[in-house]
Amino acid sequence: MAAEDTEAVAAVEGAGAVESADGIDGIDGIGGTDWADGAEAAVGTFTVRRYPVAPGYRVNVRSGPGTQYQIVRVLQYDAQVPINCQKPGETITGPYGTSNIWDNIANGQFISDAYVNTGSDGYVAVRCA
């Protein structure tokens, strides 16, 4: 694989969720079937599951798994969030029960699982490192 193809693959992989390889044919070595060594398989459809936050609540997003952590933003009403990983923290009571599970929804951003409708009282994602 040529050096420019390797850089292009790294750029696409580093972009995060990629819906498909379509629309990137304009970059040399990307798109179609002209990639060598099966590199085309590195880009494919990726779906992120989003969970609804309790209706009628604007939930504080914190920098860690507890109310002692700084508020980094506030979710809007009827928000839906991805859960990247989960970790134990402060126990919170909310509309979906009492839980010590905190959901990581973005880098350095956590919300209490007691405010997220996951359909489970336990973990639904991997534990955060």
Side-chain angles (χ1 to χ4, degrees):
M1 181 181 306
E4 62 269 18
D5 291 343
T6 304
E7 290 171 6
V9 170
V12 171
E13 288 176 341
V18 175
E19 291 199 18
S20 73
D22 295 335
I24 58 174
D25 291 328
I27 301 173
D28 289 341
I30 295 182
T33 57
D34 59 345
W35 286 5
D37 304 324
E40 186 169 343
V43 177
T45 302
F46 183 81
T47 303
V48 175
R49 178 149 186 211
R50 299 180 76 81
Y51 296 89
V53 174
Y57 288 88
R58 292 190 64 203
V59 177
N60 291 331
V61 179
R62 298 188 176 269
S63 61
T67 57
Q68 72 274 20
Y69 291 90
Q70 179 181 9
I71 296 172
V72 295
R73 66 184 175 118
V74 179
L75 296 177
Q76 298 299 316
Y77 292 111
D78 300 321
Q80 293 193 359
V81 296
I83 298 178
N84 301 321
C85 61
Q86 296 174 297
K87 72 186 312 179
E90 180 181 350
T91 299
I92 301 292
T93 299
Y96 297 115
T98 300
S99 178
N100 74 330
I101 298 173
W102 285 74
D103 304 330
N104 174 268
I105 62 169
N107 188 24
Q109 298 183 23
F110 292 85
I111 61 174
S112 171
D113 195 62
Y115 286 88
V116 182
N117 186 1
T118 62
S120 173
D121 288 336
Y123 287 86
V124 297
V126 298
R127 290 210 184 190
C128 301

